[in-house]
């Protein structure tokens, strides 16, 4: 990686530094969350599985729908669903609208993991507030909302990284 550009105090860093720092902040939060989740009985799920569980939704989804939301093939989504089912995070049930289809639904364990994730993200944000101050965190969030593209929040992050 290139070295940081030297300059006068307060001068902006090199162009590559912003995305690297944003990603490092993201990784810090997500890694801390998954350490917490492991301690709370969910040691077998990494970030990609968290996105997969979110893609299932409240009412369930088909493997094809999950694949579209994650930006992966139906086959890749099917393998992810199989893994999540084996770990007890989802279950497959008959679709009440179409008996030929199977819906993937969150199991109680999957719901527990997502609830704990939300609570963990709240705790981690509170830690940033403690260290940086509420005004700075709110300003950073507002600035990121301003700069992020309207379609930037998507569940296909893992596919985007691998694309």
């Amino acid at each position: 990686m290139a070295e940081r550009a030297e300059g006068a105090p307060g001068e902006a860093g090199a162009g590559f530094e912003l995305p690297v720092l944003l990603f490092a902040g993201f990784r810090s939060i997500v890694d801390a969350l998954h350490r917490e989740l492991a301690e709370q009985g969910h040691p077998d799920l990494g970030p990609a599985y968290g996105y997969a569980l979110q893609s299932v939704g409240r009412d369930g989804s088909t493997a094809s729908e999950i694949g579209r939301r994650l930006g992966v093939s139906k086959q890749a989504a099917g393998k992810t669903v199989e893994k999540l089912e084996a770990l007890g995070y989802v279950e497959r049930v008959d679709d009440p609208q179409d008996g030929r289809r199977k819906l993937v639904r969150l199991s109680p364990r999957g719901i527990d993991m997502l609830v704990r994730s939300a609570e963990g993200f709240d705790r981690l944000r509170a830690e940033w507030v403690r260290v940086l101050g509420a005004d700075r965190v709110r300003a950073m969030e507002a600035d990121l909302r301003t700069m992020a593209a309207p379609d930037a929040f998507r569940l296909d992050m893992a596919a985007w990284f691998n694309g």
Side-chain angles (χ1 to χ4, degrees):
M1 202 171 254
E3 289 188 19
R4 180 186 162 103
E6 294 294 321
E11 188 175 326
F16 71 86
E17 194 171 21
L18 177 61
V20 169
L21 288 170
L22 288 169
F23 183 68
F26 169 80
R27 276 291 304 263
S28 296
I29 291 170
V30 171
D31 288 349
L33 175 71
H34 282 276
R35 281 191 300 275
E36 281 187 20
L37 289 171
E39 292 169 3
Q40 297 171 4
H42 298 282
D44 33 23
L45 291 186
Y49 288 118
Y51 289 114
L53 286 174
Q54 289 178 34
S55 73
V56 171
R58 291 182 186 267
D59 299 323
S61 300
T62 65
S64 294
E65 291 166 337
I66 292 168
R68 277 193 299 279
R69 290 176 187 152
L70 295 175
V72 300
S73 69
K74 179 182 175 183
Q75 292 78 12
K79 286 182 181 182
T80 299
V81 168
E82 286 175 13
K83 176 75 170 175
L84 290 171
E85 187 176 28
L87 293 170
Y89 289 95
V90 299
E91 56 194 13
R92 293 183 214 224
V93 297
D94 290 333
D95 184 341
Q97 306 298 321
D98 183 348
R100 298 168 295 171
R101 294 186 340 160
K102 289 284 189 185
L103 281 181
V104 178
R105 284 201 194 140
L106 296 170
S107 69
R109 182 166 170 77
I111 293 168
D112 180 69
M113 192 279 220
L114 289 178
V115 168
R116 288 176 186 268
S117 292
E119 293 168 351
F121 280 130
D122 287 344
R123 278 191 302 280
L124 291 163
R125 184 186 183 279
E127 177 64 12
W128 281 49
V129 167
R130 186 189 68 73
V131 172
L132 300 173
D135 290 342
R136 288 182 65 193
V137 171
R138 277 194 301 270
M140 177 175 41
E141 290 168 337
D143 291 344
L144 289 169
R145 279 187 206 97
T146 298
M147 297 307 296
D151 66 345
F153 180 77
R154 298 177 9 201
L155 296 174
D156 67 350
M157 190 175 305
W160 179 82
F161 274 121
N162 292 325

